[in-house]
Amino acid sequence: MTAPSLPRLFLRAALTARGRGGALPGTRLARAGVAVDPARLAAYSAVCGFPLTGELPVTFPHVLAFPLQTALMTERAFPLALPGLVHVRQQISVVRPIGAGEPLDVEVWAERFATHRRGATVDLCAAVSAGGAEVWRGRSTYLARGATAPDGAPETDVDVPVGALDRASARWRVSADAGRRYARVSGDVNPIHLSALSARAFGFPRAIAHGMWVEARALAALSGRLPDAFTVDVAFRKPLLLPSTVELATVRAGGGWDLAVHGSHAGPDHLVGTIRLD
Amino acid sequence: MAAPTRKAAIVGGNRTPFARANSVYARASNQDMLTAAIDGLVARFGLQDQQVGEVAAGAVLKHSRDFNLTREAVLGSRLSAATPAYDVQQACGTGLEAAVLVANKIALGQVESGIAGGVDTASDAPVAVNEDLRRVLMELNRAKTVQQRIKALSGLRPGHLSPSVPSTSEPRTGLSMGEHAAITAAQWEIGRTEQDELALRSHQALAAAYERGFFDDLVTPYLGLARDNNLRPDTSMEKLAKLKPVFGTGADATMTAGNSTPLTDGASAVLLASDEWAAERGLPVLAHLVDAQTAAVDHVHGGEGLLMAPVHAVPVLLARNGLTLQDFDFYEVHEAFASTVLATLKAWEDDAYCKDTLGLDGALGAIDRSKLNVAGSSLAAGHPFAATGGRIVATLAKLLAEAGPGKRGLISICAAGGQGVVAVLES
């Protein structure tokens, strides 16, 4: 299949939000032979702060999988309403660096419907393969506030424990249009990221940064310091309201890194995460 | 007390393939490409997380926000973050000058290893506000009261909004480099055919070098490009003859897009070290940088050609090392323009010029042309200004290593501002 149109999917998701329920469908959606557009890759890299190396930034395959995951979540059989879903955790396993010219096979599915003290969570998974071998795995955990997981569902696990991160490595001045800029290169046009007005409709005082952009920028800051294969696991905490000044804290831990993005002057955590060798 | 000097070893090099401006690297920044060139070198010589003595590199077209371009590239690379770095800028001489600086520190024992490099992009060139607007903005910045601010802003004119784009014209003469080269070509009576022949040979030599795998350990593919995309292996004298002249006037209009270098994007890096440092790591020594010389000419009022400074530098270098121009197995004369190479060689063959202008006893004489730019040069590969020096140093070092011990090569690179950098390498 071709890449689904995200604005159309978001609209459809909003119109079909009511009356959903039941168990997770076993649907798997896939695209084969996906070619990365060099101009889009360059624009994505510039917005996130990755150097242009000829290899895909660690977080880039997520934007290839995201339209498929969104399509899956807008299907009638999907039990949770897409509007209002909150991205609370993201795990990425990099098996090996992916060349920007490699044709990629992308497959997505949903699993692990779980209970959360404030509702239910579901994992949207993605597997990216090149030449028949898996090169990248992603697991995005979304929270549906007030939703109920089926009877007997397990407890969710959205916590990523990190060690002490008391020294800031960098200060970021995140501009008011950061959400629009990332939306342009990722296709994620969720209204909560685009403007204060559209964000207010969903209960946020201002537009909020995409969690995946915050993660991408943090990983870009570690360019040259990451091994070829690793797993990065981040929990998204307080939304990062735009514009903001925030700090990135990094520390070597467990053979990899612990990291956090928090408000300046020891403000609340927006993201905490770990990078570990596999 | 100064330590006795030693000769710096050239361990190897790495560069991106060079790309014509506004082609495959159009979206890559100087920092992207320099980082890629360094990381390729790191991968080739197992330097991951290692500290080298220093990294010296630069770019000719550089935005002021890139004041620490090389250090930023190092921080984003796989080298240890504890590796110091600094920027060098000497127009097209940047890459070779950077190699000389690193080699000199190695020779003095101040560092044991270092990386010299260069990068340029004509596609992602810095664009500045024009000078009038800049003055208004600075005035506005200094203004303290509302009145002063209004007064400053009242100086704004619509024409101020047109940006100031960098060009390759000489600040003091207003002439482009091509126009300067055309004057020199006319002065030295360099004909169209010999220029086209030199261009053809450059393409053929570069293509042949790629074919025999010469660049397999000198070039790392980047952004999907594996070879210099200016290379035309199938070009011919007929094709080159069809091109219309772009520089020069009348009968002297001999310089075309075929025998001049195009604007190019790319980066290069060279690993230099002491012999001991290389031996400890089991790394090869391709050649040593024996000596180098820079020179400058007065191209504004002095009547000398803009790109003739290497002609002046070489005899000084030869004299200091007790060499003649014929004592070399390879000559790498940077092909800014075919006419530049030909004028350089002709000047060295000219008895009157060598006596009157260079102050020598007589002509340096002719060189064996079959030893000139044997693996191709800038006419075929392209010329990302600051990256050319690194391309040539690595190419010549490998040619010398292939030829065996005791071989000698000469590098000659002309640069804007009437400057030139030349060096001797020995295996």
Side-chain angles (χ1 to χ4, degrees):
Chain A
M1 66 189 283
T2 56
S5 152
L6 281 165
R8 205 172 297 163
L9 287 174
F10 279 116
L11 184 65
R12 195 171 131 209
L15 296 175
T16 61
R18 288 176 160 277
R20 284 172 180 262
L24 280 183
T27 320
R28 292 174 94 93
L29 296 179
R31 283 183 72 202
V34 178
V36 174
D37 169 29
R40 185 191 185 193
L41 177 62
Y44 176 91
S45 301
V47 166
C48 301
F50 287 106
L52 266 191
T53 62
E55 290 171 359
L56 298 185
V58 176
T59 44
F60 188 82
H62 177 79
V63 306
L64 300 178
F66 184 69
L68 291 176
Q69 294 175 332
T70 309
L72 197 148
M73 288 189 279
T74 44
E75 281 185 359
R76 280 278 177 191
F78 193 76
L80 300 169
L82 177 60
L85 282 189
V86 185
H87 196 177
V88 290
R89 185 178 181 184
Q90 176 70 36
Q91 291 158 277
I92 291 173
S93 290
V94 181
V95 181
R96 66 157 170 87
I98 306 169
E102 292 187 69
L104 301 172
D105 301 328
V106 184
E107 187 175 33
V108 309
W109 66 96
E111 65 183 34
R112 218 186 271 177
F113 206 167
T115 62
H116 184 277
R117 60 191 163 79
R118 286 159 64 193
T121 64
V122 63
D123 287 1
L124 270 293
C125 300
V128 174
S129 308
E134 194 171 72
V135 291
W136 189 96
R137 281 187 302 278
R139 177 180 290 275
S140 311
T141 304
Y142 292 94
L143 167 66
R145 287 199 190 90
T148 316
D151 286 343
E155 276 288 312
T156 191
D157 178 15
V158 295
D159 218 33
V160 179
V162 292
L165 280 153
D166 38 21
R167 188 188 45 79
S169 307
R171 178 170 300 161
W172 302 346
R173 288 170 191 87
V174 185
S175 65
D177 65 352
R180 291 190 291 278
R181 290 164 66 89
Y182 183 75
R184 268 201 291 276
V185 297
S186 67
D188 184 350
V189 290
N190 190 329
I192 59 176
H193 303 303
L194 301 184
S195 69
L197 197 66
S198 55
R200 251 176 250 143
F202 293 87
F204 295 99
R206 305 200 307 262
I208 64 169
H210 294 78
M212 285 309 297
W213 175 79
V214 179
E215 179 180 1
R217 185 154 177 195
L219 292 170
L222 287 165
S223 291
R225 316 287 176 93
L226 298 176
D228 284 346
F230 60 92
T231 292
V232 52
D233 188 0
V234 307
F236 300 110
R237 300 270 177 84
K238 271 230 179 278
L240 196 167
L241 297 174
L242 300 173
S244 277
T245 298
V246 298
E247 288 173 350
L248 167 72
T250 53
V251 66
R252 289 240 181 231
W257 298 85
D258 283 358
L259 54 119
V261 175
H262 57 75
S264 48
H265 310 298
D269 286 333
H270 301 297
L271 171 157
V272 296
T274 61
I275 295 168
R276 294 290 181 269
L277 309 191
D278 291 324
Chain B
M1 195 189 87
T5 62
R6 53 189 177 174
K7 289 184 175 79
I10 294 153
V11 175
N14 180 61
R15 65 176 178 94
T16 68
F18 291 168
R20 291 173 67 94
N22 301 311
S23 68
V24 274
Y25 301 163
R27 304 286 300 257
S29 68
N30 274 335
Q31 195 175 313
D32 288 336
M33 292 192 286
L34 184 58
T35 307
I38 292 171
D39 271 342
L41 196 69
V42 167
R44 184 157 295 145
F45 297 106
L47 301 176
Q48 177 147 4
D49 300 323
Q50 297 216 18
Q51 189 182 337
V52 296
E54 67 177 21
V55 180
V60 174
L61 298 176
K62 194 170 86 166
H63 196 283
S64 57
R65 71 166 168 251
D66 287 335
F67 64 95
N68 238 344
L69 170 68
T70 309
R71 173 63 182 150
E72 290 300 324
V74 167
L75 280 170
S77 78
R78 290 180 176 264
L79 283 173
S80 158
T83 300
Y86 56 94
D87 277 33
V88 183
Q89 205 172 36
Q90 197 180 36
C92 305
T94 301
L96 181 55
E97 187 68 270
V100 171
L101 293 169
V102 173
N104 285 350
K105 282 204 189 178
I106 291 167
L108 286 172
Q110 293 170 349
V111 297
E112 290 300 315
S113 62
I115 293 172
V119 58
D120 255 293
T121 168
S123 308
D124 190 44
V127 173
V129 298
N130 79 34
E131 191 57 17
D132 295 329
L133 177 57
R134 193 184 68 82
R135 286 212 180 108
V136 171
L137 293 174
M138 294 314 289
E139 191 67 33
L140 191 62
N141 191 37
R142 283 189 286 268
K144 289 197 174 69
T145 68
V146 175
Q147 262 178 330
Q148 284 172 336
R149 282 198 194 98
I150 291 169
K151 186 162 175 284
L153 281 171
S154 71
L156 268 183
R157 299 286 176 273
H160 291 176
L161 295 180
S162 68
S164 168
V165 181
S167 73
T168 55
S169 69
E170 280 293 314
R172 284 174 190 277
T173 64
L175 300 184
S176 73
M177 199 166 276
E179 289 168 319
H180 269 288
I183 294 170
T184 305
Q187 224 170 359
W188 287 95
E189 297 173 345
I190 308 296
R192 167 76 183 262
T193 309
E194 51 180 328
Q195 293 180 49
D196 286 352
E197 279 167 0
L198 191 87
L200 179 64
R201 265 199 32 188
S202 186
H203 283 278
Q204 289 170 342
L206 185 71
Y210 268 112
E211 282 312 309
R212 72 179 179 94
F214 180 77
F215 291 112
D216 287 358
D217 59 357
L218 292 177
V219 174
T220 305
Y222 181 58
L223 302 187
L225 191 64
R227 285 185 182 194
D228 314 313
N229 70 1
N230 185 58
L231 173 61
R232 302 279 177 273
D234 55 350
T235 194
S236 62
M237 284 304 284
E238 294 71 41
K239 283 181 185 165
L240 287 165
K242 277 190 196 131
L243 298 170
K244 283 205 176 66
V246 287
F247 301 115
T249 50
D252 295 332
T254 56
M255 293 172 54
T256 69
N259 59 40
S260 309
T261 46
L263 288 173
T264 316
D265 306 334
S268 67
V270 178
L271 177 61
L272 297 106
S274 66
D275 288 344
E276 298 76 24
W277 190 91
E280 278 164 21
R281 284 160 183 76
L283 296 175
V285 171
L286 300 180
H288 289 95
L289 199 152
V290 173
D291 198 4
Q293 178 69 37
T294 54
V297 298
D298 185 358
H299 62 289
V300 186
H301 307 292
E304 181 60 290
L306 175 73
L307 303 178
M308 294 294 277
V311 178
H312 295 244
V314 163
V316 179
L317 186 66
L318 294 176
R320 188 163 62 230
N321 289 276
L323 296 170
T324 71
L325 187 59
Q326 289 70 37
D327 290 340
F328 293 90
D329 303 281
F330 299 98
Y331 300 87
E332 287 287 336
V333 182
H334 161 51
E335 297 167 342
F337 303 90
S339 64
T340 309
V341 178
L342 295 165
T344 297
L345 300 181
K346 214 163 172 179
W348 284 333
E349 292 167 19
D350 190 297
D351 212 45
Y353 176 85
C354 284
K355 279 181 181 157
D356 301 343
T357 306
L358 300 183
L360 305 174
D361 295 336
L364 293 183
I367 65 161
D368 178 349
R369 294 282 185 99
S370 69
K371 298 174 177 173
L372 174 67
N373 300 345
V374 299
S377 187
S378 304
L379 286 169
H383 173 38
F385 310 120
T388 288
R391 172 186 68 74
I392 293 180
V393 169
T395 297
L396 177 60
K398 188 171 172 191
L399 287 170
L400 290 166
E402 280 184 341
K407 301 292 178 185
R408 190 180 294 126
L410 177 69
I411 300 175
S412 164
I413 296 180
C414 56
Q419 304 205 87
V421 192
V422 303
V424 176
L425 267 53
E426 269 176 16
S427 54

